[in-house]
Amino acid sequence: MTAATVAGDGGAPTPRRLTIGKVLAALSEDFPDVTASKIRFLEAEGLVLPHRTASGYRTYTDDDVRRLHYILSAQRDRYWPLKVIREALDALDRGLSDPGGESGGRPRPPAPSADPEVPTPHDLAARSDVSLTGPELREATGIDRDTMLALETYGLLQPDEKGHFGHDALAIAAAARTLAGHGLEARHLRPFRTAADREIGLVDQVLATRSGSGTREERAGEIASACIALHVALVRAGLSR
């Protein structure tokens, strides 16, 4: 129930304010019998909270109109008592979705959605045939020689037996360069290597002790993708506190 907005004097969006007469006009097509007294009753019940001007007049936003439409529809079409409507509005205010006519119209929790930033099992199982020398990696990512050596020292960059680096080294070095701009040196990033090793060990443990459908690579990718999704969700939740 997001309110429609207009730009204020400073450019910030502000809700459009409607008088109760305009609210009645907006609702009259679907609810020809609605009255100002009805809307004030719903306000007294705490179901809608209009803004009060300095002189005491009520003003409403487009979001208030949608809220009133929901309330009136629930009363007329579903015969919901005010207690049930209040619970449904609380659920909608907390971010649950309105299913419309499905499931009796009760708000439902949103379905989990895949994070587009998390690699899929297929992405994790894919192998790149790129093989970069140290100078090529530095050229591609903009890190200097000292930073690269530090990343190798702390185990974040791991060359193969020929001293070359794979495709994932590009992402590691680029991320390290960004973090360096915020004052985080390679030594500060060692916990990421430790955490990654622990997740890899957890994947190996599951593969060794539990059977499942699909090839080993497919199962490893699925488990690792879920581990990364969990990590991202935990970080995001922590930052939002």
Side-chain angles (χ1 to χ4, degrees), residues 107-131:
R108 296 182 301 192
S113 57
D115 190 327
E117 299 301 319
V118 173
T120 66
H122 179 268
D123 294 333
L124 292 171
R127 294 290 183 268
S128 172
D129 58 0
V130 68
S131 182

Side-chain angles (χ1 to χ4, degrees), residues 108-190:
R108 296 182 301 192
S113 57
D115 190 327
E117 299 301 319
V118 173
T120 66
H122 179 268
D123 294 333
L124 292 171
R127 294 290 183 268
S128 172
D129 58 0
V130 68
S131 182
L132 303 173
T133 65
E136 290 168 343
L137 180 60
R138 295 198 301 273
E139 178 185 357
T141 59
I143 63 172
D144 56 38
R145 183 187 296 272
D146 290 341
T147 299
M148 181 170 177
L149 291 175
L151 291 173
E152 290 187 62
T153 298
Y154 290 101
L156 284 97
L157 286 177
Q158 298 177 336
D160 62 19
E161 64 277 3
K162 295 182 179 179
H164 294 164
F165 299 87
H167 187 270
D168 291 330
L170 290 167
I172 294 169
R177 183 175 185 272
T178 299
L179 293 172
H182 294 278
L184 294 175
E185 301 175 6
R187 60 189 176 88
H188 299 130
L189 307 182
R190 175 60 184 170

Side-chain angles (χ1 to χ4, degrees), residues 194-208:
T194 302
D197 288 340
R198 287 175 177 170
E199 290 186 16
I200 294 168
L202 184 62
V203 172
D204 289 338
Q205 179 182 349
V206 173
L207 292 174

Side-chain angles (χ1 to χ4, degrees), residues 43-57:
E43 177 189 349
E45 292 293 322
L47 300 181
V48 63
L49 300 173
H51 174 74
R52 291 272 189 166
T53 66
S55 55
Y57 289 103

Side-chain angles (χ1 to χ4, degrees), residues 6-21:
V6 295
D9 293 338
T14 56
R16 182 167 69 119
R17 298 295 179 181
L18 306 172
T19 64
I20 195 167

